[in-house]
Amino acid sequence: MELKLVGLGVLLLVFLGSCGAQLPKWRGTSPGQPQKRPVQQEGAQLPVQDPVSGVLVNPEDPLSVQLKQVLQGQLKKLTWRFPQAPEKPQQPAVHFEPRKPVSAVSVAADCGENSVYVEVKKDLFGTGELINPSALSLGGCAAIGEDSAAQVLIFEAELQLCNSVLRTTADELVYSFVLQYANEPLGGKPIVRTSGATVDDWRYERPSNQYFLGDLINIEASVMQYNHVPLRIFVDSCVATAVPDANAIPRYWFIENYGCLVDAKLTGSTSHFLPRVHADKLQFQLEAFVFQQQRSELIYLTCFLKATPASAPTDGMHKACSFTANRWMTADDNDWVCGCCDASCGLRDEGSKSPGAGLQWEGNISVGPVQVGEKAPVWQRKVNKP
């Protein structure tokens, strides 16, 4: 609105200035000076006052005649209005039932008169991913053997060893052992995960924040178009923490270097950007994980987003790249912009705006908490000792 008014004022100033330049000999004298009647040159016509508009019109001046015609024109009521901003669509009620993970029957035990015998499947959580034998112990005691064909680890210990706990009842003595699994960090990062294949629908926002190791977390970044030029959204970087503070330790950067989703390359996960369908939306899937040696199952995500005109081409600082099939691929149309993901795509202190990008909008967005639980293995009493 201000620009419209300023523009109208400029037009009026220029318009009035043009009229004034044609009337210098018709202006009055300064105060205290005698009034002088304009001298009519021979053959010239004096200006006359238009009876309708009251404006002095010089019959010999075409601009003056045009001014009369403009001012005599019929005024029309202004009907233009600012367009209304589009309203964000309301999400309908969604029927959602949280998934209940099926516990894997992966541990069998047989308690003898003097010792305990335990078998543990290497597929401990029933996800198809085999654990590292060195990460599993029975009360601190390592496995004594392995059945390679059955993919089973074997533990055997005397009842008083391996940090067992004795509890006495009226009828029996109960020895308790703890099967300890120490997940190893992935790719030197402070996170652990197990594989899986649970995928949610993209149509609506998920009403639950509960996930389990092995699930894929669907995340969508978007920008409201409103009444400006079409925009393209990018996820510049994302960091995960165990608390709402993005600077807390431990933390895990799974998107960095101006849109490189590095999680798959660092940990071998299936995390990736989906091919872009709409410029104002960007979707990616993050394989669920938890922080190592953290009691909390909560993770918080903080992402730096930016939007540029959709007409601007993608480049090394405006991209969405995934590590798939041992190479970097873009969610847009030019894989070559991902070539810098294994190096440096720019310096942060130089800003995140590349030459030719034009206007851009940016800011931090936080999501969370996301609760990630583990599948618990089930113990089964083994009747016959082999």
Side-chain angles (χ1 to χ4, degrees), residues 323-347:
F323 191 75
T324 305
N326 205 34
R327 68 187 185 97
W328 289 101
M329 300 178 63
T330 181
D332 294 291
D333 52 3
N334 293 315
D335 287 344
W336 67 268
V337 300
C338 302
C340 61
C341 282
D342 288 327
S344 175
C345 297
L347 299 177

Side-chain angles (χ1 to χ4, degrees), residues 358-376:
L359 295 175
Q360 76 176 31
W361 297 260
E362 55 188 36
N364 284 312
I365 300 294
S366 298
V367 177
V370 176
Q371 186 172 3
V372 180
E374 294 189 32
K375 299 177 181 179

Side-chain angles (χ1 to χ4, degrees), residues 83-385:
Q84 294 182 350
E87 296 183 359
K88 185 178 180 180
Q90 297 295 321
Q91 174 170 304
V94 179
H95 177 70
F96 178 81
E97 293 183 1
R99 183 177 69 88
K100 296 180 180 179
V102 178
S103 298
V105 181
S106 54
V107 181
D110 181 39
C111 188
E113 184 176 345
N114 300 312
S115 63
V116 62
Y117 179 88
V118 180
E119 291 183 354
V120 181
K121 292 182 179 180
K122 294 181 70 174
D123 184 8
L124 181 62
F125 298 102
T127 62
E129 181 179 358
L130 304 183
I131 63 173
N132 185 346
S134 63
L136 191 67
S137 69
L138 183 68
C141 298
I144 63 169
E146 178 180 346
D147 186 341
S148 300
Q151 297 291 333
V152 170
L153 300 176
I154 301 172
F155 296 85
E156 189 170 15
E158 295 183 9
L159 295 179
Q160 295 81 15
L161 301 180
C162 300
N163 294 303
S164 65
V165 177
L166 174 61
R167 181 168 56 87
T168 304
T169 68
D171 301 321
E172 58 186 359
L173 299 176
V174 180
Y175 289 89
S176 299
F177 293 84
V178 176
L179 188 65
Q180 298 173 324
Y181 176 55
N183 251 332
E184 296 181 342
L186 295 169
K189 302 300 178 181
I191 65 170
V192 292
R193 56 162 57 105
T194 60
S195 62
T198 301
V199 182
D200 289 327
D201 200 326
W202 284 97
R203 291 179 300 171
Y204 305 110
E205 183 176 350
R206 196 175 195 266
S208 171
N209 69 338
Q210 175 68 66
Y211 294 87
F212 293 92
L213 290 177
D215 289 351
L216 291 175
I217 304 174
N218 288 345
I219 303 174
E220 179 179 281
S222 61
V223 58
M224 294 294 291
Q225 288 294 139
Y226 293 109
N227 297 301
H228 43 60
V229 297
L231 298 176
R232 190 197 308 265
I233 187 74
F234 294 96
V235 181
D236 217 42
S237 61
C238 278
V239 63
T241 52
V243 295
D245 183 6
N247 297 314
I249 301 295
R251 62 174 177 261
Y252 173 51
W253 292 93
F254 57 93
I255 299 179
E256 57 184 7
N257 206 5
Y258 301 99
C260 300
L261 208 168
V262 296
D263 180 60
K265 184 169 186 180
L266 295 176
T267 68
S269 73
T270 58
S271 303
H272 66 286
F273 284 108
L274 273 67
R276 193 193 297 269
V277 178
H278 303 286
D280 59 338
K281 294 180 181 179
L282 182 60
Q283 299 171 334
F284 64 94
Q285 293 181 322
L286 176 66
E287 193 172 320
F289 62 86
V290 293
F291 283 99
Q292 186 187 30
Q293 299 178 349
Q294 293 289 317
R295 294 183 178 180
S296 174
E297 295 181 340
L298 303 181
I299 59 174
Y300 296 81
L301 309 179
T302 303
C303 298
F304 184 75
L305 309 183
K306 60 189 178 187
T308 61
S311 58
T314 57
D315 56 31
M317 300 175 72
H318 300 84
K319 62 185 183 300
C321 298
S322 306
F323 191 75
T324 305
N326 205 34
R327 68 187 185 97
W328 289 101
M329 300 178 63
T330 181
D332 294 291
D333 52 3
N334 293 315
D335 287 344
W336 67 268
V337 300
C338 302
C340 61
C341 282
D342 288 327
S344 175
C345 297
L347 299 177
R348 179 61 57 187
D349 55 4
E350 293 179 355
S352 58
K353 183 177 179 180
S354 59
L359 295 175
Q360 76 176 31
W361 297 260
E362 55 188 36
N364 284 312
I365 300 294
S366 298
V367 177
V370 176
Q371 186 172 3
V372 180
E374 294 189 32
K375 299 177 181 179
V378 175
W379 288 75
Q380 184 182 47
R381 181 175 177 81
K382 186 174 180 63
V383 179
N384 298 318
K385 178 179 177 180

